[in-house]
Amino acid sequence: MELPFAESYKIKMVETIRKSNREEREQWIREAKYNLFRLKSEQVFIDLLTDSGTGAMSDKQWAEMLLGDESYAGASSFYKLKEAVKDITGFDYFLPTHQGRAAENVLFSVLVKEENIVPGNSHFDTTKGHIEFRKAFAVDCTIDEAFDTTLLHPFKGNVDLGKLEEVLNKDCDKVPFIIVTITCNSSGGQPVSMENLRSVRKLADRYHKLIVFDSARFAENAYFIKIREKGYETKTIREIAREMFSYADAMTMSCKKDAIVNMGGFIGMRDPLLFEQASVFNIMFEGYITYGGLSGRDMNAIAIGLYEGTEFDYLETRVRQVEYLGNKLISYGIPLQLPVGGHGVFVDAKRFLSNLPKEQFQAQTLAVQLYLESGVRGVEIGALLADRDPVTRENRYPVLEFLRLAIPRRVYTNNHMDLVAASLKNIFDRRNDVTQGFKILKEANIMRHFTVELDLA
Ligand code: F0G
């Protein structure tokens, strides 16, 4: 008999989660103005809002927490992390920051000027926010295949070289750098192939442009390269990661993802001058260059997490759990971004609730329905998150309208996944009865989805 797949860890500590009834949830979500970010976590049973900072640290990471050096300057924890960053990514220069968007803030303070154009593959919302906040523009150069959820393509995070070259041709002087997000969150946790990274490097060299990797889920990207790309089958995850990073000039990292910690980030750089310039902003926004908003214990846990997060057995367990949920949903006929991504399942809300007008926020409607059904919290990656056009102030309706079910690392079992899948199936079976979506009551100027207040349309 063939042995079934099983997790590469066992559980040493547990946390109670609370079930609720539909009546309670109806009241809670109404009070939260139909915004799942406004719920209290105790009002949630299974929390798939994000895989960011929600993972379970290992015994080794917790042990390292006790060894943190809390010196203001020159802490041994800084050097421990610096060494791990160099070993895993190859970057000589590094600045710790409190999380990924802080790394973006510091690096972009040096690199992005008004009227600049930053091409990339479906920029993450904070990345785009930090570009647009500086009155610059993010231009999406993702391959067209990514926008057809039914299409099976192994690297839907890839940059379309034609689209990128067009931007470089037309506005070369305005482009400070190209940003490549690995894996690409916005298109569904989809990986970028090594061949594509190599080609982007060649193109960037022809136009003398820097490349920055948004590396939050770089290890999951390396895993997909190993299992999907010819020539990488026998390479280790760390060898693949090192090659990936060799094509970048700098990187921003949210350690809350693939470094499996609850808080942290950093910038990796090759150029000492860039490091010098970024250091000034790091001191201003984050903290001195040897701690950057992190305590020594945090840096220790990240250092260990970078190694654990790049172990094949861990990654296989992780990505296969996401796939397990995805396959269940596929077997129920539920439309989702194919193939299933690295950190979550991205349900195609446009096809799921096809009779609901986009102006009523299909993915948000589905997210609220799922919460009401069983207390599962997903997140909208659609028109609410897309914000308004900074110039026209019109709502932007993206091609893809997703309900994202992001799976925290090493936290839930497949029984939890079964419950999530059954909940969505129940909604899918009565999808034609879902005829009322939402309208906006109150919204912020930028990144409105976090705080938006909604009412029934
Ligand atoms: N880049 C990517 C690709 C991300 O997914 C995120 C965060 C960031 C940058 C910013 O990092 O949160 O540490 O400041 N993504 C989370 C998510 C919030 O839910 O996908 P951060």
Side-chain angles (χ1 to χ4, degrees):
M1 184 172 174
E2 196 187 333
L3 297 178
F5 181 77
E7 289 78 6
S8 62
Y9 50 80
K10 57 183 179 177
I11 296 162
K12 191 153 19 192
M13 190 186 276
V14 294
E15 175 184 345
T16 304
I17 48 177
R18 188 180 171 275
K19 293 175 188 174
S20 54
N21 61 46
R22 193 173 177 107
E23 221 176 20
E24 288 175 315
R25 292 194 291 273
E26 274 170 3
Q27 189 194 329
W28 292 334
I29 195 70
R30 205 179 321 116
E31 287 168 1
K33 311 281 188 204
Y34 302 100
N35 179 346
L36 294 136
F37 283 101
R38 300 173 77 99
L39 287 172
K40 293 179 180 160
S41 66
E42 67 211 32
Q43 297 167 337
V44 174
F45 180 44
I46 300 174
D47 204 349
L48 308 186
L49 182 75
T50 180
D51 63 320
S52 178
T54 53
M57 291 209 298
S58 68
D59 49 358
K60 293 189 183 63
Q61 285 178 295
W62 280 110
E64 276 293 323
M65 295 282 284
L66 293 177
L67 301 176
D69 176 355
E70 306 304 341
S71 306
Y72 189 96
S76 64
S77 299
F78 168 78
Y79 290 103
K80 197 177 274 183
L81 179 54
K82 184 174 163 59
E83 210 167 287
V85 168
K86 167 78 186 169
D87 192 26
I88 300 286
T89 71
F91 285 103
D92 281 318
Y93 295 93
F94 122 99
L95 284 169
T97 63
H98 81 275
Q99 62 183 88
R101 71 200 67 182
E104 291 163 2
N105 188 33
V106 169
L107 188 64
F108 295 4
S109 291
V110 180
L111 296 178
V112 180
K113 305 276 175 297
E114 207 172 315
E115 296 293 318
N116 274 180
I117 293 173
V118 183
N121 56 340
S122 300
H123 311 58
F124 181 66
D125 55 343
T126 60
T127 318
K128 195 175 193 166
H130 275 298
I131 293 168
E132 291 180 346
F133 182 72
R134 291 174 170 81
K135 297 191 165 52
F137 303 93
V139 177
D140 189 1
C141 297
T142 313
I143 55 167
D144 288 337
E145 286 90 333
F147 300 98
D148 180 348
T149 55
T150 64
L151 239 169
L152 273 169
H153 182 292
F155 293 102
K156 271 186 170 174
N158 278 359
V159 177
D160 184 315
L161 299 167
K163 289 182 193 174
L164 178 59
E165 181 143 29
E166 205 180 306
V167 176
L168 291 171
N169 250 331
K170 195 162 153 261
D171 287 305
C172 193
D173 293 345
K174 291 185 180 169
V175 176
F177 59 90
I178 299 158
I179 189 150
V180 187
T181 306
I182 50 173
T183 58
C184 183
N185 186 2
S186 309
S187 70
Q190 299 292 320
V192 180
S193 72
M194 195 72 88
E195 188 192 2
N196 192 250
L197 293 177
R198 212 177 287 127
S199 305
V200 173
R201 177 75 267 171
K202 273 190 200 142
L203 197 57
D205 285 345
R206 271 189 21 226
Y207 288 86
H208 306 290
K209 292 297 167 195
L210 297 176
I211 296 177
V212 176
F213 282 177
D214 177 352
S215 323
R217 301 178 183 85
F218 76 94
E220 288 166 12
N221 201 89
Y223 172 83
F224 283 120
I225 287 176
K226 182 175 170 71
I227 63 165
R228 291 184 186 167
E229 192 162 347
K230 218 171 154 277
Y232 291 91
E233 304 84 348
T234 58
K235 293 232 165 28
T236 65
I237 297 294
R238 283 179 206 145
E239 284 167 344
I240 295 170
R242 282 293 284 265
E243 185 182 340
M244 281 162 36
F245 286 120
S246 75
Y247 303 124
D249 299 291
M251 65 177 283
T252 54
M253 177 70 188
S254 168
C255 298
K256 301 168 76 171
K257 284 80 167 175
D258 278 356
I260 333 180
V261 291
N262 304 118
M263 194 52 72
F266 64 82
I267 309 167
M269 290 151 285
R270 259 181 246 297
D271 177 4
L273 182 63
L274 180 59
F275 169 74
E276 219 172 89
Q277 292 168 321
S279 295
V280 176
F281 290 102
N282 216 66
I283 292 167
M284 203 150 65
F285 297 143
E286 292 297 295
Y288 183 59
I289 56 172
T290 64
Y291 75 87
L294 295 172
S295 47
R297 52 182 172 271
D298 291 332
M299 292 191 277
N300 277 11
I302 296 168
I304 301 291
L306 283 171
Y307 287 100
E308 290 184 358
T310 48
E311 270 165 23
F312 180 78
D313 282 353
Y314 152 74
L315 281 165
E316 188 180 35
T317 299
R318 152 99 185 131
V319 176
R320 282 182 71 145
Q321 182 174 49
V322 177
E323 199 181 16
Y324 174 86
L325 174 61
N327 286 344
K328 272 250 140 120
L329 297 177
I330 292 167
S331 76
Y332 298 149
I334 294 171
L336 43 94
Q337 173 69 298
L338 297 177
V340 176
H343 66 293
V345 175
F346 288 61
V347 178
D348 185 338
K350 259 190 197 171
R351 280 163 57 220
F352 195 117
L353 294 179
S354 54
N355 44 14
L356 198 75
K358 66 176 190 300
E359 291 77 11
Q360 291 188 23
F361 304 107
Q362 293 147 305
Q364 183 65 16
T365 305
L366 186 55
V368 171
Q369 286 290 325
L370 177 61
Y371 174 69
L372 288 172
E373 182 70 20
S374 59
V376 174
R377 173 159 71 170
V379 75
E380 190 251 24
I381 307 257
L384 277 179
L385 181 139
D387 266 332
R388 290 175 189 274
D389 184 286
V391 180
T392 68
R393 300 307 298 159
E394 290 296 319
N395 272 314
R396 289 190 281 211
Y397 293 101
V399 184
L400 298 173
E401 180 78 23
F402 287 130
L403 162 64
R404 185 185 75 174
L405 305 169
I407 318 288
R409 294 164 181 78
R410 309 191 285 209
V411 169
Y412 292 112
T413 68
N414 284 0
N415 287 333
H416 293 112
M417 299 301 116
D418 288 343
L419 185 138
V420 173
S423 309
L424 263 183
K425 182 182 185 312
N426 289 346
I427 302 164
F428 193 58
D429 289 345
R430 57 177 166 77
R431 62 191 179 280
N432 291 330
D433 302 337
V434 182
T435 51
Q436 192 178 30
F438 295 103
K439 61 178 182 210
I440 295 176
L441 287 180
K442 202 174 160 198
E443 63 183 287
N445 251 345
I446 196 162
M447 285 191 251
R448 65 181 179 184
H449 57 293
F450 289 114
T451 52
V452 72
E453 294 182 15
L454 302 168
D455 199 0
L456 295 170

